[in-house]
Every structure is written in C-alpha cells, then in structure tokens.
Amino acid sequence: LERDALFRKKHNIHVSGNNIPSPLGDFAELSSRFGCKAKLFRNLANLGFKEPTPIQRQAIPVLLSGRECFSCAPTGSGKTLAFVCPILMKLKRASKDGIRAVILCPTRELATQTTRECKRFAEGCKFCIKLMSKQRVKRADLSKFSCDILISTPLRLKLAIRKKHIDLSKVEYLVLDESDKLFELGLLKQIDSVVKACSNPSIVRSLFSATLPDFVEELARTIMHDAVRVIIGRKNT
Ligand code: ADP
Ligand code: MG
C-alpha cells in the first residue's frame, strides 16, 4: 500500500518480504487492530510510553501476524518491547503447560536486564517469567520445568538441555536478541542446539540486532520461513 510506504519512509523503516503487515500508527492500534488486553495496554501507559518506536511500529504487527522476523535497529531503540509485547499478547494468559517462549541473550547481564523489562511489561498479568540461572541449571531434573517466558544465555540453556533434560518441544516463540553479539561471542553451536531442541513445527522465530552483518543475515535465512526483514535507519551503523 502507498500509505504504508509513505509512513515507513517517514519513520525510516525499511522492509523486505512477502505481504508485510501495516506498521502501527500508534499504541492504541494494539487494542483496536489486535485485541490487546486492557492490563497490558495500561502497563505501556504506566511506563510512560506514548508512541511506539520505529522498530516497534513494524516488528510488533509482523510478529502478531504470526510471521517470522529479523530486525535491525540501533541500541536503545526499544527492541525489547518489540518482541516482548507480541509474545505476551499471543500467549494471552498464563499456563503451566511447558515452556512457551524462549529469549536468548548473549550475556548474563543482558539476560537479567531483559527479564526485568519483561516483568515490567507484564506487571499485574499472571505470566510466569523466569531467568535460567546457574542454580536452576544445577537442579537434578528440569524435564517438568514450566514457565511462560524463559530468558537465558545460550550456554546455560544448552547445559539445561544436555544434562537436565529441559523440554523445549512446546516453545511457540524463540527470540535471538542481540544476534550480532551472540555470533561475535562464538555461540553458534550453542544457539544451534537450542534451535534444534525447540522442535515445535509451528514455532515463530525472530532475531533482533543492532547491526546486521552478512553472517547474521545468512543464519536468519537458514532458520526462518517466509521471514520479514525490518531495518531501521541503515544496516550497519
Ligand atoms: P534496545 O534493545 O533496542 O537497545 P531497549 O529495549 O533496551 O532498547 O529500550 C531502551 C529504553 O527505551 C528502555 O529504557 C525502554 O524502557 C525504553 N523504551 C522502549 N520503548 C519505548 C517507547 N515506545 N517509548 C518510550 N520509551 C521506550
Ligand atoms: Mg536490547
């Protein structure tokens, strides 16, 4: 649509892929277009978020439409909400039926920070949001472990798969956050074992990054199906 194209241009949003959903004009569209629950919606207002950032405008409707997504937007541009918001909306309500979403972060610090952010967005909702800590990995058996959103570094999660039999076969959403760093740190093998363990055929994968080097783009293309590529500003700045 011409209107979408003009709107994207105005916000410096570059997209490629098939049938790309229209960007969000404002947060109110989360309710009017996508039926966002009042509580979640209120949390955004309580956090003082007035307008979606460009990455949020485009990545949120893409993920809400059930499409896979690989995205590049500068540091500090609100990528966390861009994937947490659609996950919380799609999961709808808390459930004890296995692990439903996984977010991989390159370092423990980033994983801790992302967990905190997730909990702020989900405040007042009953979602179970957990960080895969060292203590948790030490447990004898994680095969019955369940939560709505699990945040982890690739190493911790790989160990939980290999040694503690954590079950990722029900994961519906997998996010690789800060993927450029994930790769710089040489975590490819660990990421690969997580990607394989998340064996649900209807899983929706997404990848977020501050830069999009060729090797990240290549990986995105190998693990994703009919993905939408979203770039805010320029690819490698
Ligand atoms: P990134 O992952 O792109 O580096 P973050 O998701 O960490 O960025 O967000 C950076 C900061 O911006 C955080 O403090 C976050 O709470 C805030 N933020 C996110 N979205 C919005 C918004 N729409 N309006 C105002 N502040 C926002
Ligand atoms: Mg981030």
Side-chain angles (χ1 to χ4, degrees):
L1 276 97
E2 185 70 12
R3 214 176 106 240
D4 287 351
L6 285 170
F7 187 82
R8 287 189 186 111
K9 195 167 173 194
K10 182 178 154 196
H11 291 281
N12 216 346
I13 302 169
H14 306 276
V15 288
S16 51
N18 302 315
N19 269 319
I20 302 165
S22 300
L24 285 181
D26 53 30
F27 278 131
E29 282 182 28
L30 290 178
S31 308
S32 60
R33 254 173 88 189
F34 298 103
C36 181
K37 289 241 177 76
K39 255 187 192 160
L40 266 184
F41 188 73
R42 216 178 306 132
N43 286 347
L44 295 179
N46 290 343
L47 288 168
F49 293 8
K50 294 194 172 66
E51 290 286 327
T53 64
I55 187 64
Q56 292 163 2
R57 288 184 193 277
Q58 188 60 73
I60 291 174
V62 167
L63 289 168
L64 283 174
S65 307
R67 298 286 299 282
E68 300 201 309
C69 175
F70 64 107
S71 327
C72 169
T75 302
S77 67
K79 292 189 286 294
T80 315
L81 185 69
F83 55 80
V84 173
C85 172
I87 290 175
L88 292 171
M89 284 174 66
K90 288 289 218 173
L91 293 181
K92 289 200 174 80
R93 62 185 62 80
S95 147
K96 296 225 163 62
D97 191 24
I99 300 166
R100 305 167 73 202
V102 168
I103 301 170
L104 284 187
C105 302
T107 63
R108 190 155 50 100
E109 288 68 31
L110 286 165
T112 307
Q113 198 180 308
T114 300
T115 308
R116 203 179 310 127
E117 283 272 290
C118 262
K119 287 183 174 170
R120 290 206 303 159
F121 298 140
E123 185 136 2
C125 307
K126 294 198 170 90
F127 292 112
C128 174
I129 298 165
K130 294 257 161 84
L131 176 69
M132 183 51 87
S133 62
K134 210 175 216 164
Q135 296 88 301
R136 219 186 285 286
V137 180
K138 274 190 188 148
R139 281 197 214 156
D141 181 9
L142 285 170
S143 62
K144 299 274 171 357
F145 179 78
S146 161
C147 70
D148 295 299
I149 304 182
L150 180 64
I151 299 112
S152 180
T153 61
L155 180 60
R156 288 266 156 83
L157 198 49
K158 191 202 88 173
L159 292 173
I161 296 165
R162 291 272 168 83
K163 303 202 165 140
K164 309 293 174 177
H165 311 292
I166 199 167
D167 179 7
L168 299 180
S169 67
K170 286 188 174 154
V171 173
E172 298 162 63
Y173 298 91
L174 173 64
V175 179
L176 308 185
D177 191 19
E178 309 253 5
S179 359
D180 50 354
K181 287 204 198 90
L182 283 172
F183 294 104
E184 275 169 29
L185 294 170
L187 305 173
L188 195 59
K189 266 176 104 173
Q190 296 158 16
I191 295 166
D192 201 49
S193 68
V194 175
V195 168
K196 286 209 176 88
C198 294
S199 57
N200 181 345
S202 52
I203 191 167
V204 174
R205 298 174 180 134
S206 60
L207 186 152
F208 287 79
S209 198
T211 64
L212 201 53
D214 290 342
F215 57 91
V216 172
E217 194 151 347
E218 231 171 83
L219 176 98
R221 291 193 191 285
T222 59
I223 67 171
M224 291 185 194
H225 313 276
D226 197 22
V228 178
R229 177 178 181 259
V230 181
I231 291 175
I232 307 304
R234 271 190 207 86
K235 194 170 143 175
N236 288 315
T237 53

